[in-house]
Amino acid sequence: MTDPSLPAGGPAPLDVLIVGSGVAGLSAAVRAAGSAGLRVGLVTKAELAQSTTRWAQGGVAAVLGVDEDSTDLHLADTLAAGAGLCDVDAVKVLVGEGPGRVEELIALGAVFDTHPGGGLALTREGGHSTARVVHAGGAATGAEIERALVEAVRETAAALLEGWFAVDLLVEGGRCEGVVALDPRGSPHEVRASHVVLASGGAGQLYAVTTNPSAASGDGIAMALRRGVPVADVEFMQFHPTALHHPAMPRPLLSEALRGHGALLRDAEGRRFVEELSPRDVVSRAMAARMLEQGVDHLWLDATALEHFDQRFPTISASVRSIGLDPSADWLPIAPAAHYLSGGLLTDLDGASALPGLWACGEVACSGVHGANRLASNSLLEGMVFAARVVEAIASGREGPEPSGALRTVGAEDGDTIPVRVLDSWASDAGSDGAAVPAGDDGEVDKRRHRLQQAMPTGAGDGPGCRGRRRRAGSRARDLGAGQPRRGGPGRAGCGDRPAREPGCARPLRLPSPGPRVPVPTGADPMSR
């Protein structure tokens, strides 16, 4: 750990404190300490290289000079997958700046798969109209990106606090001034900085079956809500259709790239039943419906026709062979699993939250690019693009948000948004029985995690404040959780069969916690940068 001495009080010893070590956090750290010349600290509750990014098998979607592709096509594919709920300006930023971020990553040392004759090997994945996804190691893209970024961060960061768990935001005078974090021994410390960047990832561990590692427990969103920072789209948890049906947790993921190369989905009777390269929510709902119809708990992915499977997808090959399956001969058992949270802290086009001094990028943020359903391989891209914009805004002297992107409609009085719904109360930090968990009592933590995971599929659904009030992409909104499996399936939390939208109802639901409402400046040009 570099420079562990971070005294409380006095001038902030760090210019930027980043919470999280996935692609978004590491990208922000590299840029802030490098070209921006800022003093950077990074807090992560695991080792620097252990994040959800490392588990990412899918690649990075970007338009990289292929004649038949264009940013307009990438834009259209993203908007279609998002079911009309994306912020168009944010998606334009994503697809327009994405290629440059990929090229920067390559310059940093990331190695992507290429054709034998040279040139990047591009793959088509679900929801994409053409091949535009770059991969590394067949299906080990996240690990390769993490490797390249971790090496750069270790060389440039002023403070690396590995094994430190950020539990609360320090807010003074209406501004975020740092975080409270527990060190590896469980002792709390104030870690102060002029700016805090939340890049803490998603919340897959709230669900009993997930592809996310144990660290993906929604901490960043929880910290923000406790301080009254608006969040949105938390009902839209994307379920990946092809998680390996196996007791291992997190569930091993069978990359979408397999279907891009010709793998087929088959039901319990061996029949195809859905277009394999449809968006993930469509495939997951079709799978859930077929499993219920046939009374089974899994279906099959047939990759037996794929040539050179072991060489092209070594990570997946090792995973399935470890449980006695031969992908060249065996159909692979699959079922949907909680995979990616499309919502999070509402941010403007530069990653600023409604609380001055607090920024967010990556899965913890709601930048507006995903809408109701993320397009395959847009997540790593989002982390890289918006991390860069966060750092550029901080380096330019920005203190707070502008009315742009997904944050533009917070508190709007022109009828263009669902009114903010304030959460009335919070459970204590103690458990449901009112007793605090003793330090080091992992058994009790596991029990409470299990109770929460079981509550997600059985207790969530139509809340009294939701039913009949509005629909999101033609489906009932959910308050923090997946809908009942028999009510539309797990394509994304709470989304059914997409009946026609009710006029004027596909609008964002904003969820701040109690606390002072942070005004968003008005009058600025939302596309000024």
Side-chain angles (χ1 to χ4, degrees):
M1 180 173 64
T2 305
D3 190 9
S5 178
L6 296 169
L14 296 171
D15 297 313
V16 180
L17 177 66
I18 295 165
V19 179
S21 61
V23 64
L26 294 176
S27 296
V30 169
R31 185 173 291 266
S35 60
L38 301 174
R39 180 172 166 81
V40 177
L42 189 146
V43 173
T44 179
K45 61 185 177 183
E47 296 180 9
L48 194 60
Q50 298 298 321
S51 72
T52 305
T53 292
R54 184 177 182 84
W55 296 71
Q57 292 183 355
V60 183
V63 178
L64 297 168
V66 180
D67 291 341
E68 61 268 24
D69 200 7
S70 70
T71 55
D72 286 342
L73 280 177
H74 193 181
L75 172 71
D77 291 344
T78 301
L79 296 177
L85 293 173
C86 302
D87 182 88
V88 177
D89 291 342
V91 179
K92 288 179 178 178
V93 166
L94 180 79
V95 302
E97 298 181 9
R101 301 291 86 84
V102 174
E103 291 167 0
E104 288 176 357
L105 192 58
I106 293 172
L108 196 64
V111 179
F112 293 105
D113 297 340
T114 59
H115 293 296
L120 292 170
L122 303 179
T123 300
R124 183 184 173 200
E125 294 184 354
H128 290 273
S129 56
T130 189
R132 65 166 66 95
V133 180
V134 294
H135 288 84
T141 310
E144 172 58 17
I145 290 175
E146 189 95 349
R147 179 201 62 77
L149 290 172
V150 164
E151 290 180 2
V153 169
R154 288 199 183 279
E155 294 177 358
T156 58
L160 295 179
L161 304 180
E162 298 178 79
W164 287 53
F165 187 178
V167 295
D168 205 0
L169 301 175
L170 290 173
V171 178
E172 298 173 354
R175 191 182 188 284
C176 186
E177 299 287 349
V179 303
V180 176
L182 305 179
D183 67 20
R185 297 179 299 277
S187 300
H189 300 267
E190 290 187 355
V191 186
R192 292 180 173 267
S194 300
H195 297 270
V196 173
V197 179
L198 285 183
S200 51
Q205 282 290 322
L206 297 182
Y207 296 80
V209 178
T210 180
T211 63
N212 291 183
S214 59
S217 47
D219 315 324
I221 292 174
M223 287 191 291
L225 280 170
R226 282 197 296 271
R227 292 298 184 174
V229 181
V231 306
D233 293 347
V234 288
E235 70 270 37
F236 290 136
M237 171 62 78
Q238 182 182 82
F239 282 66
H240 198 291
T242 54
L244 186 66
H245 184 68
H246 183 267
M249 195 63 67
R251 287 285 196 266
L253 189 64
L254 303 184
S255 171
E256 202 144 2
L258 296 178
R259 284 175 279 143
H261 284 278
L264 303 176
L265 294 169
R266 299 189 184 277
D267 66 13
E269 298 174 357
R271 296 184 304 228
R272 292 180 66 192
F273 60 95
V274 66
E275 169 54 49
E276 282 80 7
L277 291 180
S278 298
R280 288 175 179 173
D281 62 315
V282 174
V283 177
S284 289
R285 286 201 310 276
M287 289 179 63
R290 188 56 59 100
M291 286 190 289
L292 291 169
E293 176 186 323
Q294 297 184 332
V296 297
D297 61 0
H298 69 278
L299 301 176
W300 303 97
L301 183 68
D302 177 6
T304 56
L306 273 62
E307 297 180 350
H308 310 297
F309 189 102
D310 293 350
Q311 291 74 36
R312 294 165 72 184
F313 304 102
T315 303
I316 298 176
S317 176
S319 180
V320 299
R321 289 185 183 279
S322 70
I323 61 172
L325 295 173
D326 178 357
S328 67
D330 299 322
W331 291 357
L332 307 177
I334 54 171
H339 182 61
Y340 188 90
L341 185 62
S342 294
L345 277 72
L346 277 165
T347 62
D348 68 12
L349 290 179
D350 294 315
S353 79
L355 176 64
L358 180 66
W359 310 73
C361 53
E363 192 172 355
V364 73
C366 180
S367 65
V369 300
H370 302 311
N373 176 61
R374 176 174 67 80
L375 181 65
S377 290
N378 267 358
S379 58
L380 295 175
L381 185 71
E382 181 199 21
M384 294 188 292
V385 167
F386 285 90
R389 293 178 73 88
V390 165
V391 173
E392 290 169 3
I394 291 173
S396 72
R398 279 268 303 279
E399 284 291 319
E402 295 179 349
S404 65
L407 195 59
R408 178 170 47 235
T409 55
V410 172
E413 298 179 357
D414 57 2
D416 193 34
T417 183
I418 296 295
V420 166
R421 178 162 64 85
V422 176
L423 303 185
D424 295 328
S425 63
W426 288 97
S428 69
D429 288 337
S432 58
D433 56 6
V437 179
D441 190 348
D442 293 337
E444 180 61 25
V445 171
D446 288 342
K447 289 178 183 178
R448 293 183 178 181
R449 180 193 294 265
H450 178 73
R451 287 202 297 268
L452 175 60
Q453 290 173 335
Q454 295 307 307
M456 293 304 292
T458 59
D462 284 349
C466 286
R467 188 179 295 115
R469 192 176 77 179
R470 69 184 184 99
R471 289 177 182 266
R472 291 293 298 263
S475 65
R476 290 186 178 90
R478 304 300 196 232
D479 294 338
L480 297 175
Q484 292 281 4
R486 291 183 182 270
R487 303 185 64 180
R492 56 184 188 272
C495 287
D497 295 327
R498 293 196 192 184
R501 260 188 220 109
E502 295 175 4
C505 288
R507 295 178 293 186
L509 174 66
R510 313 305 190 188
L511 299 175
S513 67
R517 194 69 53 78
V518 182
V520 179
T522 59
D525 178 5
M527 294 298 289
S528 60
R529 40 170 301 115

Coordinates of all heavy atoms in Angstrom, one line a residue, residues 412-446:
A412 N -36.9 18.9 -12.9 CA -37.5 19.7 -14.0 C -39.0 19.9 -13.7 O -39.7 19.1 -13.1 CB -37.4 19.0 -15.3
E413 N -39.5 21.1 -14.0 CA -40.9 21.5 -13.7 C -41.7 21.6 -15.0 O -42.7 22.2 -15.0 CB -40.9 22.8 -12.9 CG -40.2 22.7 -11.6 CD -40.2 24.0 -10.8 OE1 -40.7 25.0 -11.4 OE2 -39.7 24.0 -9.7
D414 N -41.2 21.1 -16.1 CA -41.9 21.2 -17.4 C -42.7 20.0 -17.7 O -43.1 19.9 -18.9 CB -40.9 21.5 -18.5 CG -39.8 20.5 -18.6 OD1 -39.9 19.5 -17.9 OD2 -38.9 20.6 -19.5
G415 N -42.8 19.1 -16.8 CA -43.6 17.9 -17.0 C -42.9 16.8 -17.8 O -43.5 15.8 -18.2
D416 N -41.6 17.0 -18.0 CA -40.8 16.1 -18.8 C -40.2 14.9 -18.0 O -39.4 14.2 -18.5 CB -39.7 16.8 -19.6 CG -39.1 16.0 -20.7 OD1 -39.8 15.2 -21.3 OD2 -37.9 16.1 -20.9
T417 N -40.6 14.8 -16.8 CA -40.1 13.7 -16.0 C -41.1 13.3 -14.9 O -42.0 14.1 -14.5 CB -38.8 14.2 -15.2 OG1 -38.3 13.0 -14.5 CG2 -39.0 15.3 -14.3
I418 N -41.0 12.0 -14.5 CA -41.8 11.6 -13.3 C -41.2 12.3 -12.1 O -40.0 12.5 -11.9 CB -41.6 10.1 -13.1 CG1 -42.2 9.3 -14.3 CG2 -42.3 9.6 -11.8 CD1 -43.7 9.5 -14.5
P419 N -42.0 12.9 -11.2 CA -41.5 13.6 -10.1 C -40.6 12.7 -9.2 O -40.8 11.5 -9.1 CB -42.8 14.0 -9.3 CG -43.9 14.0 -10.3 CD -43.5 12.9 -11.3
V420 N -39.7 13.4 -8.6 CA -38.7 12.7 -7.7 C -39.6 12.0 -6.5 O -40.4 12.6 -6.0 CB -37.7 13.6 -7.1 CG1 -37.0 13.0 -5.9 CG2 -36.7 14.0 -8.2
R421 N -39.3 10.8 -6.2 CA -39.9 10.1 -5.1 C -38.9 10.0 -4.0 O -37.9 9.3 -4.1 CB -40.4 8.7 -5.6 CG -41.1 7.9 -4.4 CD -41.9 6.8 -4.9 NE -41.1 5.8 -5.6 CZ -40.5 4.8 -5.0 NH1 -40.5 4.7 -3.7 NH2 -39.8 3.9 -5.7
V422 N -39.2 10.6 -2.9 CA -38.3 10.6 -1.7 C -38.5 9.3 -0.9 O -39.7 9.0 -0.6 CB -38.5 11.8 -0.9 CG1 -37.6 11.7 0.4 CG2 -38.2 13.1 -1.7
L423 N -37.5 8.6 -0.6 CA -37.6 7.4 0.2 C -37.8 7.8 1.7 O -37.1 8.7 2.2 CB -36.4 6.5 0.1 CG -36.0 6.1 -1.3 CD1 -34.8 5.1 -1.3 CD2 -37.2 5.4 -2.0
D424 N -38.9 7.3 2.3 CA -39.3 7.8 3.6 C -38.3 7.5 4.7 O -38.1 8.3 5.6 CB -40.7 7.2 4.0 CG -41.7 7.7 3.0 OD1 -41.6 8.8 2.5 OD2 -42.7 6.9 2.7
S425 N -37.7 6.3 4.7 CA -36.9 6.0 5.8 C -35.9 4.9 5.4 O -36.0 4.3 4.3 CB -37.7 5.4 7.0 OG -38.4 4.2 6.5
W426 N -34.9 4.7 6.2 CA -33.8 3.8 5.9 C -33.7 2.8 7.1 O -33.9 3.1 8.2 CB -32.5 4.5 5.8 CG -32.4 5.2 4.5 CD1 -32.6 6.5 4.3 CD2 -32.1 4.7 3.2 NE1 -32.5 6.9 3.0 CE2 -32.2 5.8 2.3 CE3 -31.8 3.4 2.8 CZ2 -31.9 5.6 1.0 CZ3 -31.6 3.3 1.4 CH2 -31.6 4.4 0.5
A427 N -33.5 1.5 6.7 CA -33.2 0.5 7.8 C -31.8 0.9 8.4 O -31.0 1.5 7.7 CB -33.1 -0.9 7.2
S428 N -31.6 0.6 9.6 CA -30.4 0.9 10.3 C -29.3 0.1 9.7 O -29.5 -0.9 9.0 CB -30.4 0.6 11.8 OG -30.5 -0.8 12.0
D429 N -28.0 0.5 9.9 CA -26.9 -0.3 9.4 C -26.8 -1.6 10.1 O -26.1 -2.5 9.7 CB -25.6 0.5 9.6 CG -25.5 1.6 8.7 OD1 -26.2 1.6 7.7 OD2 -24.8 2.6 9.0
A430 N -27.5 -1.8 11.2 CA -27.6 -3.1 11.8 C -28.4 -4.0 10.9 O -29.1 -3.6 10.0 CB -28.2 -3.0 13.2
G431 N -28.5 -5.3 11.2 CA -29.2 -6.3 10.4 C -30.7 -6.1 10.7 O -31.2 -5.3 11.4
S432 N -31.5 -7.0 10.0 CA -32.9 -7.0 10.1 C -33.4 -7.3 11.5 O -34.5 -6.9 11.9 CB -33.5 -8.0 9.1 OG -33.0 -9.3 9.4
D433 N -32.6 -7.9 12.3 CA -33.0 -8.2 13.7 C -32.5 -7.1 14.6 O -32.6 -7.2 15.9 CB -32.4 -9.5 14.2 CG -30.9 -9.6 14.0 OD1 -30.3 -8.6 13.6 OD2 -30.3 -10.7 14.3
G434 N -31.9 -6.0 14.1 CA -31.5 -4.9 14.9 C -30.1 -5.0 15.5 O -29.7 -4.1 16.2
A435 N -29.5 -6.1 15.3 CA -28.2 -6.3 16.0 C -27.1 -6.1 15.0 O -27.1 -6.6 13.8 CB -28.1 -7.7 16.5
A436 N -26.0 -5.4 15.4 CA -24.9 -5.2 14.5 C -24.1 -6.5 14.3 O -24.1 -7.4 15.2 CB -24.0 -4.2 15.1
V437 N -23.5 -6.7 13.2 CA -22.7 -7.9 12.9 C -21.4 -7.7 13.5 O -20.7 -6.8 13.2 CB -22.6 -8.1 11.4 CG1 -21.7 -9.4 11.1 CG2 -24.0 -8.3 10.7
P438 N -20.9 -8.6 14.4 CA -19.6 -8.5 15.0 C -18.5 -8.5 13.9 O -18.6 -9.3 12.9 CB -19.5 -9.7 15.9 CG -21.0 -10.1 16.2 CD -21.7 -9.8 14.9
A439 N -17.5 -7.8 14.2 CA -16.4 -7.8 13.2 C -15.8 -9.2 13.1 O -15.6 -9.9 14.1 CB -15.3 -6.8 13.7
G440 N -15.6 -9.6 11.8 CA -15.0 -10.9 11.6 C -16.0 -12.0 11.6 O -15.6 -13.2 11.4
D441 N -17.3 -11.8 11.9 CA -18.3 -12.8 11.9 C -18.8 -13.1 10.5 O -19.9 -12.7 10.1 CB -19.4 -12.5 12.8 CG -20.4 -13.7 13.1 OD1 -20.2 -14.7 12.4 OD2 -21.2 -13.6 14.0
D442 N -18.0 -13.8 9.7 CA -18.3 -14.0 8.3 C -19.6 -14.9 8.2 O -20.4 -14.8 7.2 CB -17.2 -14.7 7.6 CG -16.0 -13.7 7.4 OD1 -16.2 -12.5 7.5 OD2 -14.9 -14.2 7.2
G443 N -19.8 -15.8 9.2 CA -20.9 -16.7 9.1 C -22.2 -15.9 9.2 O -23.2 -16.2 8.4
E444 N -22.3 -14.9 10.1 CA -23.5 -14.1 10.2 C -23.7 -13.2 8.9 O -24.8 -13.1 8.5 CB -23.4 -13.2 11.4 CG -24.7 -12.3 11.6 CD -25.9 -13.1 11.8 OE1 -25.9 -14.3 12.2 OE2 -27.0 -12.6 11.5
V445 N -22.6 -12.7 8.4 CA -22.7 -11.9 7.1 C -23.3 -12.8 6.0 O -24.2 -12.4 5.3 CB -21.3 -11.4 6.7 CG1 -21.4 -10.8 5.3 CG2 -20.8 -10.4 7.7
D446 N -22.8 -14.1 5.9 CA -23.3 -15.0 4.9 C -24.8 -15.2 5.1 O -25.6 -15.3 4.1 CB -22.5 -16.3 4.9 CG -21.1 -16.1 4.4 OD1 -20.9 -15.1 3.7 OD2 -20.3 -17.0 4.6

